[in-house]
Amino acid sequence: MAEKIRYWQALNRALDELLAADENVFILGEDVGLYGGSYRVTEGLYAKYGEWRVRDTPISEDSFTGLGVGAALMGLRPVVEIMTINFALLALDAIINLAAKVPFMAGGRLPMGLTIRTPGGVARQLAAQHSQRLEHTLMNVPGLRIVVPSTPQDAYWQLKQAVLSDEPVVVLEHELLYFHEGPLDPAAPPPPPHRAIVRRRGRDLTLVAYSKMALLAQEAAERLGEQGIEAEVVDLRSLSPIDWNTCAASVARTHRLLVVEEDCRFAGAGAEIAAGLTERCFTRLEAAPMRLAGLDIPTPYNGTLEARTIPQVDDIVAAARKLVKEGS
Amino acid sequence: MAEKIRYWQALNRALDELLAADENVFILGEDVGLYGGSYRVTEGLYAKYGEWRVRDTPISEDSFTGLGVGAALMGLRPVVEIMTINFALLALDAIINLAAKVPFMAGGRLPMGLTIRTPGGVARQLAAQHSQRLEHTLMNVPGLRIVVPSTPQDAYWQLKQAVLSDEPVVVLEHELLYFHEGPLDPAAPPPPPHRAIVRRRGRDLTLVAYSKMALLAQEAAERLGEQGIEAEVVDLRSLSPIDWNTCAASVARTHRLLVVEEDCRFAGAGAEIAAGLTERCFTRLEAAPMRLAGLDIPTPYNGTLEARTIPQVDDIVAAARKLVKEGS
Amino acid sequence: MDRDRALALLHDMLLGRKFEERCAREYMNGNIAGFLHLYPGEEAVAVGVIHACEASDYIVSTYREHVHALVRGVPAGEVMAELFGKRTGCSRGMGGSMHLFDPERRFMGGYAIVGETYPVAIGLAYGIAMRNLPEAVICFFGDGAVNQGTFHESLNMAALWKLPVLFVCENNQYAIGTEVHRHSAVPEVYKRAAAYRIPTERVDGMDVLAVHKATEHALRQIRAGTGPWLLECLTYRFRGHSMADPGHYRPPVEVKAHQRIDPLELALRELSPIYPTPEQIAAAGPDAILKLRQYCSDQGHLPDEDFRQLEAQVDAEVEAAVRFALESPEPSLEDAWQALLANRRGETLL
Amino acid sequence: MDRDRALALLHDMLLGRKFEERCAREYMNGNIAGFLHLYPGEEAVAVGVIHACEASDYIVSTYREHVHALVRGVPAGEVMAELFGKRTGCSRGMGGSMHLFDPERRFMGGYAIVGETYPVAIGLAYGIAMRNLPEAVICFFGDGAVNQGTFHESLNMAALWKLPVLFVCENNQYAIGTEVHRHSAVPEVYKRAAAYRIPTERVDGMDVLAVHKATEHALRQIRAGTGPWLLECLTYRFRGHSMADPGHYRPPVEVKAHQRIDPLELALRELSPIYPTPEQIAAAGPDAILKLRQYCSDQGHLPDEDFRQLEAQVDAEVEAAVRFALESPEPSLEDAWQALLANRRGETLL
Ligand SMILES: Cc1ncc(C[n+]2csc(CCOP(=O)(O)OP(=O)(O)O)c2C)c(N)n1
Ligand SMILES: Cc1ncc(C[n+]2csc(CCOP(=O)(O)OP(=O)(O)O)c2C)c(N)n1
Ligand SMILES: [Mg+2]
Ligand SMILES: [Mg+2]
């Protein structure tokens, strides 16, 4: 039975259940314990499971992420919270050079049940150092999986799948999604963690998006529908691997592709999505795939400008209208 | 007058001239001084300019790169050597969050004449942690410029341009190019640092490549020529910004694009190149752009396997032959 | 310390306090957004340190840096305008609260990633040393920032090459909600300096005169070429970590106890020849500010009406800053591109 | 120390030395490629430390780790096969010289990025502490690695949470070509431990018995739950940093002086009841190895023929390892994909 729940609560519930079910699971990160987490995701868990299972760390991102790697090598299932993805820049050696490579370098003889939870994206006027989207950086790392839930249900499912997996998984959350509400049915069987979902059917073009942009794309699609343009919306849910089949099947039907991403356009996640789908659907495309993305500029503090550096619903609508006119 | 010179010597000469001409220039990095640099690039400079201009650092990548940022803020022109790009993972906060963002965050009121020199790429059996190619990560950072010289002449030109620029520039060298020989004419006027160069003319397809792969692409093109296929070879020389005009003009002539990169395929540099050129040349393309890239696997130590994870001349030839048959 | 200097300190501390409290209000009013980290309680550190510097010294600070900028002389209007995201802000509306810059005043920022101030500071200091100048760099950081790897890396380099940096730890005893003894195996930050052979001192960061004196002493030695110094200032923030944080993790009695030794009161107190004892401070209770001001005025060093005048002047300054910020235009997207490409100007190569 | 144990140490030191010198030859022969960092001169550290451990303790090492693996009991053939890039290598030919792994023997790698051993080690130790086990983790690192930020971050956490880790610094006085006093403001590594309130000891890393004793002492305390320890072993590498480095930056007299106090000779020496004085060592000159062996044999503790027998045995072991490596098959690309996707097995979700 589905109940209404916020995104952060869905994550909190998943963590609670994981901690209760398996004593190999533990959480660590800055202010995840006593304080309850910057976005409340770990609220209440410290009191319930104690400091060894829910560990407040010093501000030492590289080493506490690396600590997670070490613990995973002995079969534990650490859940590392990096407060925001901006600080993950400090921990990339642990993520890329350790988590993603050690099992391989050991000839496949070591587990890596590490989960890294971190919110990315542009929030509200946090300025350039606090507004990064690093999906492209993580995508290029073989051995790493990346999920990008856009709903409470997916957040719940995908976090659980991540923690139970023996591969390293980054759960990319979004600062502006934590207080979004949606239905959660904890008993419903989850789809595979990398499976893309068609959120809306349409015949005129395919919108491929993920995380917060998947919600904006659905909003835009509704508006387009009112204008007689039927957009199909694919929510990727996973950035590595990408569920090419679901995407390609949609593009093969609509013949037009608009990728919507919050990442900077140049060498962003959308580049791979567009290039990969062009390779798969070239002969079915009636117009060049279009990318609607963040501007290639550091995020300005000023709120008006900030909003202009990333796609808004209006922008998606306009881009879609332009695309359906092209090549026909 | 051009002389024959090795790639490392061209870089060494550029540094020597820069240090002599401007006392704001200084070099820092691990073993760049007394030891003369792991790949000899800074050989002789410590004796000539002393320890304040050629500084041996502790193994503290994040902080000595950040030191370069701080020095650049007061108008100096630090040249930071990161021994290999693999260690740049530790310094990404300094590169991405500081070098690329501070001038912007200061409203454009601070200079950032920082140059970061570092070799990337797969060398010979250095295994997964020492075989990375992080061009994609750096490309997605607005405010950063990236040059990828493939010849001694370009290495000389582009390093000098980088150091004299007030923007942060990453000079991505390649471990297997240092001992390559080629002509250097120090008096020749350089093209703009981001200008791509057509290394070979051809009408049947366009090979876009950079760094070591640009040399392999030329070799492949010669072999293809013997087989009656005329490949045009574009050496990008710069990954950010990309000289789209030169590339697009070539693709518009040949109607076929093969991107050759050493980076892992998934979300690698080639994704942007392919996506960007598809957008610009969609109607001129007679086949889907093709990417020949590194496999999405950490680099194995075993030499035979290592070679199979990145494109070789044979692979380029085969891919090109396949591409010219497609769509026609 | 002479009366003028003392009153200058008092002015800046009052300005710091009132400016920040006004920021809190403007945040509620929706004029300021994003993360807003306020400084009330810690004024003695910024004021004591920066007043002991030369104009040619560089300041590198964190995201909790409004007061550092004000004390450095960045006009309050430009700081407030930056918080409002305006074009007239000291960072042209691009940086915001956490990224205040003023190159002319050698106020080198505003860094929001914990631990970034160290490498930036040693870079400036490297340039100074390389050029053999009599300047120094002040590097601020919190107790939580001590555990970032850059602390270790940068202090080692600073000591190895005898760079002219004063490292100033604003130890307010918390990293967001984590108390210092829960994040540091050695919670006495000054003890960590020995790992780099860096001379150090721990001072009462609620006592602006002690901070000022210790800074003067350290800077004298730094300018004599002996290398870096580390100053640990014990202080406390009265508010939560940021406007998003109510600060519930701290027991009310702890906050109250620290408010008792409010630096503002200590500054006022110093104007009197009789220095209150710790017992007196402890006995003062939560209304210590009021009591101490009264006490000082009794001594004739700062008559009530003078203090009220000073307060009124500071209120007017803050008011003017807000007005300036409100009336200033927003930057355009063109301005943003300009800020990004400013360093490309004059480049003929592209 | 009893004779059996002493001879076991001697065996492992000889094996370490001869294995490494053979690696150098096989590198020249083209059977080994990539970066090859050899250990001659430093054997007393790996041998002394690892012989003092339990089989249930975890070992985390650097890229200069062949001897650590051998001492831990990883079969010489599997180590050599790994260096040859073969399928029978302990990392299946995927890791190579810098990435030896043997999970069954709790040999947890081989890390090539300087400073990575600390976080991995504290992660293992965290797991041990969380599960309340009597195990410990040994974390090796070089003098150059001390300046990496992870040293600071990880040691702080280890001390804060009293994790069972023994940090072992192999201070061979150089980070590639940079001498320790040119890279560290405090070149005595053990002095840095105080910044984290970690107990520490500096030992002569050329004296295997001293290293062994210090390790036993530290591990006893670690198992008693008092938290981490740091052991600094003063040692020296006779060869260049790696096979690519001729080591010209070190004055020949320095290399010679260290060879005089060759750990191998010290081990032999210990078998005799009369311990030579520093003067005797200094007087021994470059041929100290020969002299000391002679001396020991004179005492009847290790007759010449026994030593020759030991040598012959070790030579045969090394020879067999090379033969095994040579005759082993190469891994296939399929093997590589298997190594990458091993952890996906059993996952029904995809
Ligand atoms: C690298 C990094 N990690 C985490 C954060 C989030 N964060 C912002 S301030 C802060 C606490 C810093 O504490 P401290 O250094 O004591 O400074 P204070 O805020 O107390 O002045 C944290 C964890 C950050 N900005 N940067
Ligand atoms: C982060 C990082 N920076 C640089 C290097 C290159 N490098 C490999 S070994 C080494 C020196 C390490 O010295 P030390 O820690 O003393 O160990 P030793 O080699 O002397 O055993 C350096 C700089 C690296 N592998 N990783
Ligand atoms: Mg604090
Ligand atoms: Mg060393």
Side-chain angles (χ1 to χ4, degrees), chain D residues 42 63-64 141-145 169-176 178 180 183 235 237 241:
Chain D
E42 309 189 28
Y63 45 85
R64 197 187 294 288
F141 58 98
D143 52 290
C169 180
E170 304 186 300
N171 183 352
N172 61 12
Q173 295 157 63
Y174 280 88
I176 306 189
T178 303
V180 63
H183 68 60
T235 183
R237 60 171 155 78
H241 170 69

Side-chain angles (χ1 to χ4, degrees), chain B residues 23-28 51-64 66-71 73-76 93 97-98 100 102-112 142-143 145 161 165-167 190-194 241, chain C residues 58 78 82 89-92 94-95 99 101-104 108 110-111 113 116 119-131 133 135 149-151 153-154 156-157 160-163 336-345 347 349-350:
Chain B
E23 59 180 26
N24 287 320
V25 175
F26 70 101
I27 296 176
L28 73 164
E51 63 176 0
W52 283 95
R53 305 285 304 286
V54 182
R55 176 59 77 179
D56 282 320
T57 65
I59 308 174
S60 307
E61 279 83 0
D62 195 11
S63 288
F64 71 69
L67 187 160
V69 171
L73 290 178
M74 64 194 282
L76 299 186
D93 187 71
N97 254 333
L98 289 176
V102 167
F104 174 81
M105 296 193 305
R109 294 205 290 163
L110 284 167
M112 189 46 63
R145 295 178 66 149
Q161 290 169 324
S165 147
D166 285 337
E167 293 177 272
H194 79 299
Chain C
Y58 294 87
E78 289 189 27
E82 187 59 36
C90 59
S91 304
R92 309 297 184 245
M94 302 302 150
H99 305 293
F101 286 88
D102 189 341
E104 286 86 53
M108 307 307 282
Y111 295 86
I113 306 295
E116 280 183 345
V120 170
I122 66 168
L124 292 160
Y126 192 90
I128 292 170
M130 185 170 119
R131 291 169 165 178
L133 299 170
E135 300 162 358
T150 48
F151 173 85
E153 298 178 346
S154 297
N156 180 52
M157 285 189 266
L160 191 60
W161 306 325
K162 295 201 188 311
L163 303 182
W337 286 112
Q338 280 288 111
L340 179 64
L341 299 175
N343 287 320
R344 199 167 294 184
R345 267 186 231 137
E347 190 190 346
L349 295 170
L350 268 187

Side-chain angles (χ1 to χ4, degrees), chain D residues 3 7 10 265 267-274 288-308:
Chain D
R3 196 173 180 277
L7 285 178
L10 182 58
E265 298 311 302
L268 291 169
R269 201 169 70 194
E270 176 60 20
L271 296 172
S272 127
I274 302 164
I289 295 183
L290 223 75
K291 280 194 188 171
L292 268 166
R293 170 142 54 88
Q294 184 60 49
Y295 177 78
C296 291
S297 115
D298 288 350
Q299 298 295 313
H301 287 284
L302 188 78
D304 266 4
E305 59 273 26
D306 285 10
F307 185 78
R308 271 194 300 272

